Amino acid sequence: MTLNALVPSSLCREAEDKREATRKIGYVARAATVFRVDRLTVYPDPDGAGRWGDGFVETVLRYAATPPYLRKEVWDRRDELECVGVLPPLRVATQTGSGSDDSGSLRQGIVTEVGSDGRVRVNCGMQHPISLAVPGDRTIKEGERVTVRISSRRPVRAKIVDQPPPGYQVDRANLDAALSRPDAGVRIAASRHGQSLTTERLGRLVGTIADAGDMTVAFGAPERGLPAILGVEPGAVDPSSVDELAAAVDTGDGTRDAVTGSGSDGPRFDLWLNTVPNQGSEVVRTEEAMFATLGPLTLTE
């Protein structure tokens, strides 16, 4: 299953300073890592942009996703990264083995030198860059990031593989484009204006997501939820139904479109879902909503 999470460029709009804004993005990165989000998309929210600039969230998320042993080589000094020392460690679990140094583990590397003999030198966090053969169907350039599978450290046995590295990948797209991807799967809007998630509905929904194969969950910003970002009144949101969604997937009709946004051509979701139905705070922050929403939705039957 491909798990996509969508967060707005305005998610730090209420932060008092850059340090607090960076820390907030760090919690978003932690949530994406804990629940094995494959793709973390930052969608633009021009009307809610804060003082940190439109690219701030995306830059810090990309930095957080970069392994510590590559950060110095990949990232120059940038204003957006002034406070990255407050970011929590992600400690991304490898896809095989129980630790980052186990046999068969995947690591992200950066190509430091391209040779003329079909080999490249790759810095992947070992004591020295290692020389690896370039797969026959690939062209690799200096500075490119690659995924390396380490099968032995003494002696070193490793190869470049055509797989994404462990952890989330960051990109940027508007909501309509992100929800129209082939691997969007069940498209869920996390909102207090959606249908309340109950234990009874959860079992049905988890099964439906498994049948669909992929899932995309969109989140709003503090004091600026998805209806405000989409430019619709909260009362105009179609809360949709878990049962209707399940029936559509079961019959092979795909997912139903709960229309929201600016007109019929606006972004569409299959389900509006309230995963904190009894919230005790007036505002649930984006990073809090991610933990509250991805936790139950990634359960298995």
Side-chain angles (χ1 to χ4, degrees):
M1 182 180 86
T2 298
L3 175 55
N4 306 287
L6 315 180
V7 297
S9 60
S10 57
L11 71 85
C12 295
R13 62 193 303 267
E14 91 294 2
E16 295 182 357
D17 53 38
K18 189 177 291 185
R19 182 183 182 87
E20 180 58 30
T22 302
R23 191 191 308 276
K24 183 182 183 72
I25 296 173
Y27 293 141
V28 169
R30 280 287 298 172
T33 302
V34 167
F35 296 107
R36 294 186 180 272
V37 169
D38 297 292
R39 182 193 293 124
L40 189 53
T41 297
V42 179
Y43 65 86
D45 177 21
D47 294 337
R51 50 186 156 169
W52 315 121
D54 195 42
F56 177 72
V57 172
E58 181 183 356
T59 298
V60 177
L61 284 174
R62 289 185 184 277
Y63 178 90
T66 304
Y69 55 81
L70 290 181
R71 287 174 179 173
K72 185 176 180 180
E73 188 162 355
V74 172
W75 295 95
D76 297 324
R77 289 182 176 272
R78 302 181 60 165
D79 291 342
E80 299 99 316
L81 305 178
E82 182 181 355
C83 299
V84 292
V86 303
L87 290 172
L90 300 187
R91 297 182 62 85
V92 178
T94 54
Q95 295 180 4
T96 55
S98 58
S100 61
D101 296 331
D102 286 348
S103 176
S105 63
L106 295 181
R107 294 174 71 86
Q108 188 177 150
I110 187 168
V111 176
T112 61
E113 182 181 345
V114 177
S116 57
D117 55 352
R119 300 184 70 85
V120 293
R121 293 186 67 81
V122 180
N123 175 4
C124 55
M126 303 181 74
Q127 187 173 4
H128 303 286
I130 57 177
S131 177
L132 299 174
V134 177
D137 57 346
R138 289 186 60 177
T139 300
I140 296 179
K141 301 177 181 179
E142 184 175 332
E144 183 175 342
R145 293 196 220 185
V146 294
T147 302
V148 178
R149 181 177 294 280
I150 309 289
S151 55
S152 172
R153 292 179 65 87
R154 294 183 181 178
V156 174
R157 293 193 180 93
K159 64 179 180 179
I160 297 173
V161 295
D162 189 19
Q163 291 180 250
Y168 63 84
Q169 305 297 302
V170 182
D171 72 352
R172 184 179 182 86
N174 61 43
L175 272 175
D176 192 40
L179 295 171
S180 301
R181 289 167 171 158
D183 61 358
V186 176
R187 300 162 296 179
I188 297 174
S191 171
R192 67 187 303 174
H193 304 290
Q195 184 179 47
S196 295
L197 183 63
T198 63
T199 53
E200 180 181 358
R201 288 171 181 153
L202 178 59
R204 184 75 161 143
L205 181 56
V206 167
T208 300
I209 293 169
D211 291 341
D214 302 306
M215 175 173 63
T216 298
V217 186
F219 300 90
E223 298 182 351
R224 186 170 168 79
L226 280 169
I229 291 174
L230 294 169
V232 298
E233 293 295 325
V237 168
D238 178 358
S240 55
S241 161
V242 171
D243 290 335
E244 290 176 311
L245 173 60
V249 172
D250 288 344
T251 58
D253 294 333
T255 50
R256 68 185 294 271
D257 285 331
V259 180
T260 60
S262 52
S264 59
D265 294 329
R268 293 169 178 260
F269 294 97
D270 303 310
L271 181 69
W272 283 74
L273 192 64
N274 180 4
T275 55
V276 192
N278 297 312
Q279 68 184 63
S281 174
E282 292 182 1
V283 176
V284 175
R285 297 173 177 175
T286 307
E287 65 273 21
E288 296 168 338
M290 288 184 70
F291 279 100
T293 302
L294 297 179
L297 294 185
T298 54
L299 292 173
T300 54
E301 290 186 284

